[in-house]
Amino acid sequence: MKIDSNKWINTLPSSKFKSSENKEMDASRWVNTLPKKNKTSQQIPNSSSIKDMALIPEGKFVMGSNERWDDEAPEHISFTKAFYMDANEVSNSNYKNFVDAVKHETPYHWPEGNIPKGKEKHPVVYVSWFDANNYCKWAGKRLPTEQEWEKAARGLDGLIYPWGNEWSLDKSNNPYKHSTGTKPIGSYPEGKSPYGLNDMSGNVWEWVDTVSYTHLRAHETEADLVCRLLLE
């Protein structure tokens, strides 16, 4: 199912964002697709356009779960084309550059439109799907699909957590640590995903560009570079 995001002018369904039981805040991450050169080959973006991004190769991967929430079932084999995805969530500093450049409204909790003191390297929060989508367009990227996000987080084999199948209290910012807010991006390097992405579990929730009723009915888009942004 293809979705025209410009037609979503009312409340977005909760399935518009990717969740994890270990995430206590809302957020998003960005993607940049690899532009097609022709039907049989892809043109790799220049190095400046993929700075701080991780290459997620084309191929099949395990998606979903039969052991968690009903809307995660059934576990199945899915596929993505190659894409680049931001290694980190979008920081307040990143978002401030966007706000200043296009005169976009700041998150409502920023005092007098300024980043909260000491939060420059924290992920930006209190942004809507539309804010996230506009940031992506400004940055020359886009939001990831659900398939792309999950592959980037869990790898080929459908890991339970980005770092493996065993729970670890100290590999993410999670409520079991009695966390009361966000942490600076990349604070848990041992919790990276198989492709080297930080904070794919914990810290914040992340927006995706998929309206999902079940995994097998979720729409797909052609692969590119993927970008991350955040909301709360």
Side-chain angles (χ1 to χ4, degrees):
M1 178 174 66
K2 296 286 186 180
I3 299 297
D4 182 352
S5 61
N6 293 325
K7 293 181 180 178
W8 288 90
I9 57 176
N10 294 315
T11 304
L12 291 170
S14 59
S15 56
K16 264 288 191 181
F17 56 83
K18 187 67 180 175
S19 65
S20 165
E21 64 182 1
N22 299 316
K23 294 184 178 180
E24 63 176 57
M25 316 293 276
D26 294 339
S28 352
R29 187 178 301 246
W30 315 98
V31 176
N32 228 339
T33 32
L34 294 169
K36 286 187 175 180
K37 188 174 182 180
N38 54 48
K39 291 184 179 180
T40 59
S41 66
Q42 290 180 316
Q43 179 180 348
I44 303 301
N46 61 53
S47 59
S48 62
S49 69
I50 58 173
K51 182 181 179 181
D52 299 323
M53 302 187 86
L55 173 63
I56 315 300
E58 177 177 309
K60 297 178 180 179
F61 68 102
V62 177
M63 183 173 180
S65 173
N66 295 326
E67 300 177 359
R68 287 168 46 93
W69 304 102
D70 290 344
D71 65 356
E72 296 183 9
E75 182 177 290
H76 61 282
I77 302 299
S78 190
F79 173 88
T80 70
K81 295 181 180 180
F83 61 94
Y84 284 86
M85 186 165 180
D86 282 357
N88 297 304
E89 299 153 333
V90 177
S91 69
N92 283 316
S93 292
N94 296 147
Y95 198 72
K96 184 66 162 59
N97 292 335
F98 158 67
V99 166
D100 291 345
V102 304
K103 308 305 178 185
H104 192 81
E105 183 178 4
T106 62
Y108 83 90
H109 69 298
W110 284 17
E112 299 182 354
N114 297 310
I115 299 172
K117 187 176 180 180
K119 298 284 187 176
E120 290 79 8
K121 294 183 179 180
H122 285 236
V124 63
V125 294
Y126 292 112
V127 296
S128 70
W129 183 89
F130 297 101
D131 294 329
N133 192 47
N134 287 333
Y135 175 94
C136 277
K137 290 179 178 179
W138 171 79
K141 303 180 182 181
R142 64 170 174 82
L143 289 168
T145 64
E146 181 180 10
Q147 288 92 338
E148 290 167 341
W149 193 99
E150 187 161 333
K151 182 178 183 179
R154 303 175 67 196
L156 300 179
D157 301 321
L159 298 175
I160 298 175
Y161 308 103
W163 55 83
N165 290 320
E166 297 294 327
W167 168 247
S168 175
L169 185 67
D170 298 318
K171 292 184 178 180
S172 67
N173 179 25
N174 61 80
Y176 302 106
K177 297 171 66 72
H178 304 292
S179 174
T180 59
T182 59
K183 297 290 185 182
I185 292 167
S187 292
Y188 300 91
E190 293 185 359
K192 288 182 178 180
S193 79
Y195 298 108
L197 280 69
N198 288 306
D199 304 308
M200 293 297 280
S201 175
N203 216 17
V204 287
W205 296 67
E206 303 193 6
W207 284 119
V208 298
D209 193 22
T210 299
V211 176
S212 177
Y213 300 101
T214 69
H215 285 298
L216 298 184
R217 291 175 59 193
H219 84 285
E220 298 180 1
T221 65
E222 294 183 351
D224 304 290
L225 275 162
V226 180
C227 142
R228 301 168 61 174
L229 196 140
L230 327 172
L231 79 145
E232 182 178 55

